[in-house]
Amino acid sequence: QQPVQSPQAVILREGEDAVINCSSSKALYSVHWYRQKHGEAPVFLMILLKGGEQKGHEKISASFNEKKQQSSLYLTASQLSYSGTYFCGTERADYGGSQGNLIFGKGTKLSVKP
Amino acid sequence: DTAVSQTPKYLVTQMGNDKSIKCEQNLGHDTMYWYKQDSKKFLKIMFSYNNKELIINETVPNRFSPKSPDKAHLNLHINSLELGDSAVYFCASSLGTVWETQYFGPGTRLLVL
């Protein structure tokens, strides 16, 4: 079952902040965040495994709610290099742990303008 | 040195042909994957191999057959290509299973005419 990402697209000015959400109707084992620039392969950002977890990666951070059904990716003081499509990949908790079976959301296209 | 490499980078072929895409990783990882990304950018896992053994085989046509001669290689063979097979195919690898970071190859752009 595919997770739902929102918004589908967002346009920012440099220095502005953005939040991208990833929601599932079922509890998740893990959430993975990737960024993909046009014509390139996806690049790993971070993995969240525990309910209530928060992780940071420079000015990009993410959270995983206590019920493990929603994750949010936070981009602060955005830079031009943040432009791309952000995907969340999820694993269902009822699959009995990680089986390597990531289901990706449809992506959120982020455009950062000067 | 490229961590995950794929060949060819571009593949243009006619319907009905058989083609293969090769993937190699030099990271010493145990798990390798094939993903398909369609024209709408939807990314979907197709296969996963751990130590040369198939652990995921999602609902893909049996015209697609992965082959893993050793744990550093995972090739994808496609028989009787169809128009709908046109997509970008990404190979990826991870140290263990999915709680490990997945490293993606550059992709193979397949166009079936």
Side-chain angles (χ1 to χ4, degrees):
Chain A
Q1 192 172 10
Q2 188 177 29
V4 177
Q5 279 188 242
S6 62
Q8 289 184 331
V10 59
I11 300 174
L12 299 175
R13 293 280 180 197
E14 265 188 297
E16 291 181 340
D17 302 340
V19 180
I20 300 171
N21 297 305
C22 176
S23 298
S24 171
S25 59
K26 300 279 187 182
L28 299 168
Y29 181 84
S30 65
V31 176
H32 303 232
W33 285 99
Y34 288 82
R35 176 172 61 210
Q36 184 178 28
K37 292 185 181 287
H38 182 69
E40 298 181 9
V43 173
F44 168 79
L45 294 175
M46 63 191 84
I47 299 173
L48 297 107
L49 287 170
K50 300 177 185 175
E53 184 175 10
Q54 294 199 22
K55 268 190 176 179
H57 180 74
E58 296 181 344
K59 293 181 182 176
I60 300 175
S61 61
S63 64
F64 199 9
N65 75 346
E66 288 289 346
K67 283 189 175 181
K68 298 183 75 174
Q69 287 183 254
Q70 179 167 338
S71 177
S72 296
L73 185 71
Y74 307 94
L75 301 112
T76 58
S78 59
Q79 305 167 14
L80 295 176
S81 61
Y82 288 3
S83 292
T85 300
Y86 289 78
F87 292 96
C88 66
T90 60
E91 269 195 300
R92 290 260 299 268
D94 54 356
Y95 285 174
S98 177
Q99 300 294 323
N101 189 9
L102 277 183
I103 309 293
F104 286 87
K106 290 185 177 181
T108 296
K109 186 173 181 181
L110 178 76
S111 301
V112 181
K113 308 287 186 190
Chain B
D1 283 346
T2 305
V4 182
S5 59
Q6 294 179 227
T7 53
K9 190 171 180 180
Y10 298 97
L11 187 51
V12 181
T13 188
Q14 300 286 333
M15 277 177 59
N17 284 349
D18 303 338
K19 291 292 178 186
S20 292
I21 306 172
K22 295 186 176 180
C23 178
E24 177 181 1
Q25 54 94 3
N26 62 5
L27 297 167
H29 287 171
D30 289 332
T31 308
M32 296 184 73
Y33 311 82
W34 277 109
Y35 288 87
K36 177 182 179 180
Q37 189 170 41
D38 62 23
S39 58
K40 295 183 180 179
K41 305 298 182 190
F42 178 48
L43 196 59
K44 180 178 166 58
I45 193 165
M46 300 174 70
F47 302 101
S48 170
Y49 266 74
N50 182 264
N51 276 321
K52 296 169 55 182
E53 289 190 23
L54 182 65
I55 57 172
I56 293 175
N57 183 359
E58 286 301 296
T59 308
V60 298
N62 57 15
R63 299 181 293 103
F64 290 79
S65 53
K67 295 272 192 311
S68 183
D70 55 61
K71 74 175 194 178
H73 296 84
L74 181 62
N75 303 323
L76 184 66
H77 188 76
I78 315 169
N79 289 327
S80 303
L81 279 155
E82 299 178 357
L83 294 177
D85 298 333
S86 296
V88 181
Y89 292 84
F90 288 103
C91 175
S93 73
S94 64
L95 186 59
T97 47
V98 187
W99 54 75
E100 304 281 351
T101 305
Q102 291 194 14
Y103 294 86
F104 281 71
T108 294
R109 284 145 185 83
L110 172 66
L111 177 61
V112 182
L113 302 173

